[in-house]
Every structure is written in C-alpha cells, then in structure tokens.
Amino acid sequence: MRNLWRCALSAVTLTAGWGFMFSASAQIPTLTIHAGQAVAPASPIFYGLMTEEINHSYDGGLYAELIQNRAFLNDKKKPADWTAVVGGGAAARIELDPGQPLDRAIPTSLRLQVTHASGVHPAGIANDGYGGIPVKPHTRYRVSFYAKAAAGFHGPVEVSIQSADGRTVYARNRVSGLTPEWRKYRTELTTGNVPETAQARFVLALHQPATVWLSLVSLFPPTWHNQPNGFRPDLMRMLVAMHPKFLRFPGGNYLEGNTIAQRFKWKQTIGPLRDRPGHWSPWGYYSTDGMGLLEFLRWAEDLHAQPVLAVYAGYSLQQQHIPPGPKLEPYVRDALDEIEYVMGPVASQWGAMRARDGHPRPFPLHYVEIGNEDFFDRSHSYAARFAQFRQAIQARYPNLVCISTLGTEAGQWAAIRKDRPAMVDEHYYASARAFLTDAAHFDYYLRKGPQIFVGEWASYDTSYPPWDRRSRTQPPTPSMKSALADAAWMTGMERNSDIVKMNAYAPMLVNVSPGMRQWRPNLIGYDALHVFGSPSYYAIRMFSRNFGDQILQADLPDPNLYGSVTKDSRTKTIFVKLVNPHAAAQPLRIRITGTRRLKATGLAITLAAPPDATNSISHRRNVVPKRRTFGGIKPVFNYTLPADSITVLRLKES
Ligand code: AHR
C-alpha cells in the first residue's frame, strides 16, 4: 500500500506502491493487492523497543528488585522509603550515617539503633517497595544485605515479608554472625499457601537492643530465567510476545541527564552492585543503575533482539554541551570503550571487563546512536559533535552504522544533511487526529535520503501532550482511540519500510502506582502484582508478528482507510493490515492479482472496540485481539472491517 494508498499527490510524484485509483464499483471500495509485485524489500529489523528509566521502568519495573532505596542514596538527608518498626514496647531510631559508608561508590549507610526489643516485639526497619511488596503463594524470594554491628552484637537479624500492619507474617528467616566489619549476608524467604497481595512490606528487625549498620538491602522475587539481578518475568513475557528485533537503550533523556554530571555514565553501571553509585535521573528520581549496561545487553539477548546502543554525545538537557574538538575527545574515547565493552573480544581491555562481569561472548552490535534529540541543543554544535564521534567510531569499527539524532523532521536538519548520515532518528509525538492525518508521512520521503529510524513515536488521545504535567491526571496508558491512530501510523511506516528501517513506540513501560509516572501515554502498565497491555500494545504486537520481507504493491481508493500489505517470501504468507477508525463497519472487496494459488482459508486477527475503550490495572483484558479462521478467499472476495477496528489478515499462497 506504499505510495498509491497515500494520496493523489504521491500517485503523481512517486511511482511505486499504494494506490489512489477510484474503483468503478461505487459503494464497496476495492483493495487491489499485486501479490506478485514486490515494491521493495521490507526491513528485517522493523519493529523494536525503545527503553529508558522513566515512569519507574526499571527501578520499580522491569528490574525485579523489590526494595525501594536499597542503598539509602535516594535522599541525602533521610532514609527515604524506610520506616522504623517499633511499638508494643519496641523502640528504635534510624538515620543515615555517612560516617560508616559501605565503600566509595555507596558513601553512606543506614544506622539502626534498637533501644528496646524482644522476640515478641522486635524493632527494625520496613520498606514498602514500589507500591507494596508483591506476595505470591509458594514463592521463593532472595534476600541479601550488607551489615556490620557495634561490638558485642552478632544477631540474629530477622527478615520477613509481612502484611502492611505487621499482623500477618507471610515468610520469615534469620541471619546471624554479624561482626564489626562490613559483610554480605544472604538468605531466602519462601511463602506457603498465602493469598496474593501487594499490601505487604519487607521488614528487617532485631530481637534485642543493639546498633547495626545496613547497606544494599535487597529482595528479589523469582526472575526471568532465574537470573541473579534479573528481570520481572511477567513483563518479559509481554515484551517477548512483541517479537522485537532491536532494543534501543539507555535513552532518551535518561542518556543525556539534566546536566553533564548527571549523564548516563556507563562505567559506573557495570560490575558488582556495591560499585554502582547510581545517579539522579532527569525524570525526577534516583536510579540505582542496578539495570546497568550489561543488564541492558542481557535484556536484548533474552529478547532475541539486537542492541541499538545510544552513546552520550556531549549534550545534556539543561543546555550544557561539550564543544567539539579536544574537550569532546574524552567523551569520544568513553564511547569507544563502551562499544568495546559491548562487542570487543575478550582479549581487549573492555571485552575482558565484560568477561569479568560474566559475559565473555561479545554482543552483536550494528547500530550506535550518537546522543539523543540533539535538535534541542541551542548551541547548534551537534553536526560537529556527530562528525567527531562518527569519524572515531568508524575508524575503528567501519561496519557500525552511526545514527544521527538530527533527523529530516528537525529544524536543524540542514546543518547535518551535508554530512550524509547513513541513518537518522526521528521522533513523532502527536495527537491521535494528527497521526491519522499524517499517516502517509513517509510516503513523501525521497528514496535517496538517509535511512530512517523512528526511534520514538506515540499518539496521544487527550488534549494534553505527554510532556504537559496535566496529562498525569489522565489514565497512564492510551485508549483504543490512540491504538487506531497508532495502527494507521504504523501502516504508513510499513509501506515505507524500505527506508524506515526501524521503529519503536515510546515510552514503553509505566508503573501505574500513585506517584510513579512522569509521562503519558505509555504502552504497558503494571503495579507490584499485575501487568497489562494498552490497546496500542496489542496493535503493535499484531503488526510486528505479522510482517513480511517484501512490501507488496497495493491500491485502495478510500482515503478514510489505512493499510499496508507485506509478504513473507519464504512461507508465501501475505499480511494485509487494515485500519478502519470510523464508527461504522466498512465492507471491502479484496482483489488479489499475480497469484493463482491462494488457500481458501486464512486467519483474521482483529482488535475492535469503541474509541474510549481501554485496558487498566483493574480491567487488564478489556480490549484484546480476537483470532478466527475465515474462508471464501478467492482472487476477489469481500471482507467487512468492523467499526473502530484494526485488522490483520493472513492469506496464504499454496
Ligand atoms: O519518551 C520520553 C522522552 O521523549 C524521551 O526521553 C525523549 O527522547 C523524548 O523527548
């Protein structure tokens, strides 16, 4: 449907593709698919994921750690997110103690001074996690913490998961052997036949008066593939189901930081957790960096997706920049080291470091993004910074594609066009209406320009753009209205997936518990216990799982419908995507030329719901796709698109 579906202008000025020919039969529009006519190859890495620490995507999200502020670094003045467990005669005082740091990276600790306590009424500290500690029956949790004690106290320290009021203990265990030196302690908590709840807290308590210092207090539930320091399995399942071909990380604004000092310093995100200081993120909260560079890479590997690595390029959000030239060189070297950590052999300095961290095998890396949204840099230094990075990276890694963050849509495009970046990252956030209006956006792109990475896109369905704080009063994930617009937008990208090589919705994740988000709309929502996909999530999933390697010529006369057709040349499957964003069902005649060997039955996957329908943490599967086989497929057959629907038809040549 590329090109000719788009509009009269494109039919005149561009040649191949998607049509605007009005069919002779007046009422029922005819979609003509030229099954034997591939317009161009479709990108093999078209659908992927964009990710960063926003909305508690990692801490309180994918990164399965359950304790909030485990290293007591979130707030310099007080042990935020922790409370003292006292009462019934038990008494304790808790304070930050920078005088007893764990080490250089974690320059403080929590001092727990218990003045009264007993076995019946222990005193200690409690943490509610990120919107409650999720309790599940017959589940094993891994506990670890660093501790030291004032002379004379050796334990025990009791750890437990208990109800928020402390009356019900779901699992408990003990650790002993504390000394005046910092040591790491590990134990497990296993629940029995308990009810599922997130109205729970983690408690670490003493049965007698004593003083102990604590750091890196950690509680992990079972993780994806049981990996230590791993990922939340329910979220991973949602992502795996999207069949992503790439993972762009670590941001986004998160890469840049508000200031140069607060950028994503990858070297501080690798190795043991006690060597990771974490940092303040531009989204207004402290990041533990438990989700560090190696975890990002492992995540991509687990998803069978290739990493798209964004390297810090000398610009931070508060208009700080490093001038190109000698001052930028250390940052260029840092990026080279980072690339070596990702893909260098074990014999290299940073490849050896990766091996030390547990992953000797280099990761496959083909794309490196230089910065993020540098069109915001008012010093207009990006073209020169990009050139300096690209020159150094390609001198060492000639096959790496360096992606420019100034795209053809950006005001400063002219500044970089002459440098002919091979690929540019373009971001599109617009209202659902604008997405529908602009769904043919890429049909107009000349084929001679750079390849396009739509590294962030999303339509919004309220009157507030995502960056408007008022949008935070709206539901965290989009409704069907957005899904329809998003699907229409995707058909436009698919039709042009000879030049639009990659695309990703953003942001991907949101913790919907109170106070945890900075943006809307977001693709996937969750709280401590549950996960749900928005209608847009299902639209993307339907599209990415049904995408061929060839873009087929297809013509449709109705400018109110949106679509694209691709074909998997190996399995001879034709994927027809159709979006009807209107309140009435739309009958369609489908004419398929160029093949005589169509199977009579096919598969229809449909997402249909009124525009205001949506999913939420309490109604997680309100809007989900339905699959059905359908018959009567012939060279010409009729198919009715339901009102407000997104449809994928899988047709097969025999
Ligand atoms: O996706 C949210 C933010 O939008 C990203 O961090 C940034 O790149 C864009 O402005």
Side-chain angles (χ1 to χ4, degrees):
M1 299 188 195
R2 176 174 161 251
N3 311 342
L4 283 178
W5 193 322
R6 44 198 173 200
C7 75
L9 174 68
S10 64
V12 173
T13 56
L14 298 162
T15 47
W18 194 218
F20 198 79
M21 303 179 297
F22 282 91
S23 116
S25 77
Q27 290 90 350
I28 303 186
T30 299
L31 162 63
T32 305
I33 298 169
H34 304 275
Q37 204 176 327
V39 176
S43 168
I45 51 166
F46 188 60
Y47 285 103
L49 304 175
M50 145 63 182
T51 169
E52 67 177 321
E53 182 58 281
I54 182 174
N55 305 318
H56 288 272
S57 291
Y58 312 141
D59 288 344
L62 183 84
Y63 180 56
E65 172 66 80
L66 295 178
I67 302 296
Q68 183 155 208
N69 194 17
R70 67 182 174 192
F72 310 106
L73 295 170
N74 288 12
D75 188 322
K76 282 202 161 75
K77 298 204 175 102
K78 57 179 191 302
D81 309 304
W82 291 92
T83 50
V85 176
V86 290
R93 209 180 133 83
I94 60 172
E95 261 178 327
L96 296 183
D97 190 349
Q100 302 288 336
L102 176 65
D103 59 21
R104 215 151 50 95
I106 304 197
T108 193
S109 65
L110 179 91
R111 186 174 62 236
L112 166 64
Q113 231 172 325
V114 173
T115 46
H116 297 281
S118 66
V120 184
H121 295 294
I125 52 170
N127 190 289
D128 297 337
Y130 298 90
I133 300 291
V135 174
K136 294 187 180 168
H138 307 292
T139 302
R140 197 157 55 105
Y141 298 78
R142 282 183 280 209
V143 181
S144 67
F145 57 90
Y146 287 85
K148 63 189 230 172
F153 180 71
H154 305 290
V157 173
E158 184 179 278
V159 292
S160 61
I161 299 174
Q162 50 179 253
S163 58
D165 61 9
R167 290 196 183 151
T168 311
V169 174
Y170 298 111
R172 68 154 55 100
N173 212 333
R174 281 176 179 202
V175 164
S176 287
L178 271 66
T179 73
E181 303 302 325
W182 282 114
R183 271 183 50 193
K184 186 170 184 177
Y185 298 87
R186 289 191 179 85
T187 188
E188 287 178 356
L189 290 171
T190 305
T191 55
N193 191 20
V194 298
E196 197 174 81
T197 178
Q199 303 295 312
R201 61 185 190 174
F202 171 79
V203 170
L204 190 153
L206 313 186
H207 292 181
Q208 66 186 84
T211 300
V212 298
W213 289 265
L214 299 156
S215 186
L216 271 178
V217 183
S218 171
L219 175 70
F220 267 89
T223 56
W224 181 252
H225 292 163
N226 262 327
Q227 274 172 9
N229 207 41
F231 314 128
R232 202 173 139 165
D234 52 358
L235 272 173
M236 278 302 283
R237 278 193 290 277
M238 295 285 284
L239 301 178
V240 167
M242 293 176 79
H243 292 190
K245 296 289 187 297
F246 67 87
L247 179 73
R248 172 180 171 225
F249 61 82
N253 291 0
Y254 184 62
L255 169 75
E256 303 160 90
N258 279 333
T259 60
I260 295 169
Q262 289 178 358
R263 70 191 186 277
F264 181 80
K265 296 182 190 145
W266 72 271
K267 284 177 183 163
Q268 296 187 1
T269 72
I270 57 172
L273 295 181
R274 64 179 294 170
D275 294 342
R276 303 187 197 185
H279 72 287
W280 194 256
S281 92
W283 294 109
Y285 57 95
Y286 202 81
S287 168
T288 63
D289 286 333
M291 190 78 195
L293 179 59
L294 187 63
E295 285 75 21
F296 283 117
L297 292 162
R298 283 207 167 116
W299 181 18
E301 191 171 66
D302 286 353
L303 293 170
H304 305 291
Q306 61 171 283
V308 173
L309 175 72
V311 297
Y312 179 75
Y315 166 72
S316 295
L317 294 161
Q318 287 177 2
Q319 293 302 324
Q320 294 185 349
H321 83 282
I322 316 284
K327 289 201 170 136
L328 193 61
E329 264 317 290
Y331 297 86
V332 173
R333 276 199 301 277
D334 200 57
L336 289 172
D337 290 348
E338 187 171 8
I339 293 167
E340 189 173 284
Y341 185 89
V342 176
M343 63 183 297
V346 170
S348 64
Q349 181 191 353
W350 289 99
M353 212 57 119
R354 185 192 63 240
R356 174 208 71 176
D357 294 341
H359 202 288
R361 203 161 12 95
F363 292 92
L365 184 68
H366 305 292
Y367 295 94
V368 175
E369 179 152 7
I370 313 299
N372 177 60
E373 292 193 338
D374 288 81
F375 44 83
F376 282 123
D377 172 12
R378 292 203 286 270
S379 76
H380 291 208
S381 61
Y382 185 65
R385 288 188 285 110
F386 175 78
Q388 195 171 336
F389 273 87
R390 182 175 66 176
Q391 207 256 337
I393 291 171
Q394 293 197 329
R396 200 179 293 180
Y397 305 99
N399 294 329
L400 281 186
V401 175
C402 290
I403 303 171
S404 155
T405 76
L406 281 190
T408 64
E409 94 292 20
Q412 296 181 42
W413 169 238
I416 203 160
R417 183 165 51 187
K418 61 179 179 343
D419 295 328
R420 302 178 70 84
M423 184 179 268
V424 298
D425 180 1
E426 303 191 349
H427 295 177
Y428 296 92
Y429 295 104
S431 68
R433 180 189 287 270
F435 258 39
L436 287 175
T437 310
D438 198 27
H441 186 90
F442 297 101
D443 290 348
Y444 301 99
Y445 276 42
L446 295 174
R447 266 45 211 171
K448 282 194 231 137
Q451 296 184 338
I452 309 295
F453 173 26
V454 185
E456 296 179 24
W457 64 263
S459 77
Y460 51 89
D461 49 1
T462 67
S463 38
Y464 307 122
W467 44 89
D468 186 322
R469 291 183 77 87
R470 283 171 295 179
S471 75
R472 296 185 196 177
T473 61
Q474 307 294 313
T477 53
S479 65
M480 187 66 190
K481 180 177 173 184
S482 261
L484 290 162
D486 290 341
W489 175 255
M490 284 190 284
T491 62
M493 291 193 290
E494 280 201 0
R495 290 198 303 272
N496 293 282
S497 62
D498 54 333
I499 55 163
V500 179
K501 289 287 167 190
M502 302 189 276
N503 81 89
Y505 187 101
M508 183 169 78
L509 299 174
V510 61
N511 187 322
V512 302
S513 307
M516 299 242 169
R517 73 171 144 122
Q518 293 78 45
W519 189 279
R520 95 164 293 276
N522 309 286
L523 202 60
I524 298 171
Y526 46 89
D527 62 10
L529 273 179
H530 298 118
V531 173
F532 70 96
S534 64
S536 294
Y537 164 82
Y538 287 107
I540 296 173
R541 196 169 107 164
M542 283 163 63
F543 276 31
S544 69
R545 291 161 69 125
N546 294 284
F547 186 62
D549 58 349
Q550 297 176 338
I551 307 164
L552 290 190
Q553 169 80 37
D555 313 323
L556 182 75
D558 192 328
N560 296 314
L561 297 177
Y562 302 82
S564 69
V565 184
T566 59
K567 177 174 167 180
D568 184 325
S569 58
R570 201 177 46 83
T571 62
K572 306 234 175 300
T573 308
I574 298 170
F575 303 106
V576 185
K577 318 257 173 68
L578 291 157
V579 182
N580 174 20
H582 305 288
Q586 174 67 61
L588 196 64
R589 180 161 300 144
I590 300 182
R591 194 163 74 90
I592 304 179
T593 68
T595 179
R596 293 203 186 145
R597 303 158 66 93
L598 277 177
K599 283 199 176 160
T601 53
L603 178 72
I605 309 166
T606 310
L607 189 69
D612 59 353
T614 197
N615 295 329
S616 66
I617 202 72
S618 48
H619 295 90
R620 297 188 287 280
R621 295 188 57 80
N622 199 28
V623 184
V624 291
K626 295 197 167 59
R627 296 160 68 96
R628 69 176 180 94
T629 48
F630 70 106
I633 299 169
K634 296 183 286 196
V636 180
F637 66 99
N638 288 349
Y639 192 91
T640 297
L641 304 175
D644 302 308
S645 68
I646 301 163
T647 301
V648 175
L649 301 180
R650 256 196 232 169
L651 314 177
K652 198 122 184 172
E653 288 177 326
S654 49

